[in-house]
């Protein structure tokens, strides 16, 4: 897929099949995340791939609790990629956001569906979230930036909304 066409056609997928993508594709998605620019090249983010169904379901429950719902905020995606970044870097939020953006675009280019799911900050600020950080060898300095729901689309994405007319302003 040509790069610009891929960027123009990427959409958030909000429904997934149960099929687990091959590790090779997951690795390509996460590699794209590692190539995102970061402040001063410090690479503050950490990418955690969750394929374990029990842990994936626990993360979904923690996220749903923040949202105040019992539904699956990950739209049944079989893979959840958690992006965390060290608050000690002043660009951590931007760094993690760019990592997520790269992975969303890579997933689309590879024929996978993906969606940025918020509330990672709240999930990993919780007692259980801090326990998970410790289990993963990460300090409390890490903040959840976002989750990427990843898998094969079970639904067609909604069409893009028209772009607002004043989105781009050119000053000459």
């Amino acid at each position: 897929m040509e790069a610009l066409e891929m960027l123009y056609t990427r959409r958030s997928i909000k429904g997934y099949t149960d099929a687990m993508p091959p590790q090779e594709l997951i690795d390509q998605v996460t590699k794209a995340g590692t190539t995102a620019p970061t402040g001063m090249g410090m690479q503050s983010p950490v990418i955690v791939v969750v394929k374990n169904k029990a842990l994936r379901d626990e993360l979904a429950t923690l996220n749903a609790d923040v949202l105040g719902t019992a539904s699956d905020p990950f739209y049944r995606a079989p893979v959840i990629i958690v992006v965390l970044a060290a608050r000690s870097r002043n660009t951590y939020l931007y760094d993690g956001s760019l990592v997520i953006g790269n992975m969303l675009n890579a997933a689309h280019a590879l024929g996978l569906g993906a969606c940025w799911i918020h509330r990672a900050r709240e999930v990993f600020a919780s007692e259980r979230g801090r326990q998970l950080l410790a289990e993963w060898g990460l300090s409390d300095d890490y903040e959840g930036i976002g989750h990427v729901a990843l898998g094969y689309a079970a639904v067609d994405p909604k069409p893009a909304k028209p772009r607002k007319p004043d989105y781009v302003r050119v000053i000459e």
Side-chain angles (χ1 to χ4, degrees):
M1 183 180 298
E2 190 176 318
L4 289 177
E5 182 65 19
M6 182 268 308
L7 292 172
Y8 298 157
T9 59
R10 189 212 62 79
R11 297 290 170 265
S12 295
I13 301 300
K14 297 185 177 177
Y16 297 85
T17 70
D18 293 332
M20 179 67 68
Q23 187 62 45
E24 169 187 306
L25 292 182
I26 297 169
D27 290 345
Q28 289 180 34
V29 169
T30 57
K31 182 177 181 180
T34 68
T35 66
T38 59
M40 297 182 67
M42 297 301 292
Q43 303 175 33
S44 69
V46 171
I47 300 166
V48 178
V49 177
V50 177
K51 293 170 49 177
N52 176 284
K53 181 157 176 31
L55 181 55
R56 177 256 178 255
D57 291 347
E58 181 181 6
L59 288 173
T61 299
L62 291 169
N63 193 295
D65 288 347
V66 173
L67 193 57
T69 184
S71 64
D72 181 358
F74 299 146
Y75 305 104
R76 298 188 51 215
V79 179
I80 303 304
I81 303 175
V82 180
V83 175
L84 305 133
R87 283 187 295 267
S88 57
R89 297 291 316 152
N90 65 343
T91 57
Y92 78 99
L93 182 59
Y94 314 110
D95 296 347
S97 297
L98 286 167
V99 166
I100 291 171
N102 269 21
M103 290 193 296
L104 295 173
N105 290 324
H108 178 55
L110 294 166
L112 295 172
C115 187
W116 182 332
I117 309 295
H118 290 281
R119 296 169 298 282
R121 180 175 52 88
E122 295 88 346
V123 166
F124 290 95
S126 72
E127 182 177 339
R128 178 59 179 142
R130 289 190 304 276
Q131 289 172 349
L132 288 169
L133 290 177
E135 289 173 20
W136 299 342
L138 299 170
S139 73
D140 282 347
D141 185 40
Y142 282 86
E143 180 174 299
I145 305 303
H147 307 86
V148 174
L150 183 72
Y152 291 103
V155 299
D156 290 329
K158 294 180 180 176
K161 294 179 182 176
R163 303 294 98 173
K164 62 185 182 179
D166 61 346
Y167 215 139
V168 178
R169 297 172 188 208
V170 177
I171 311 300
E172 294 185 41

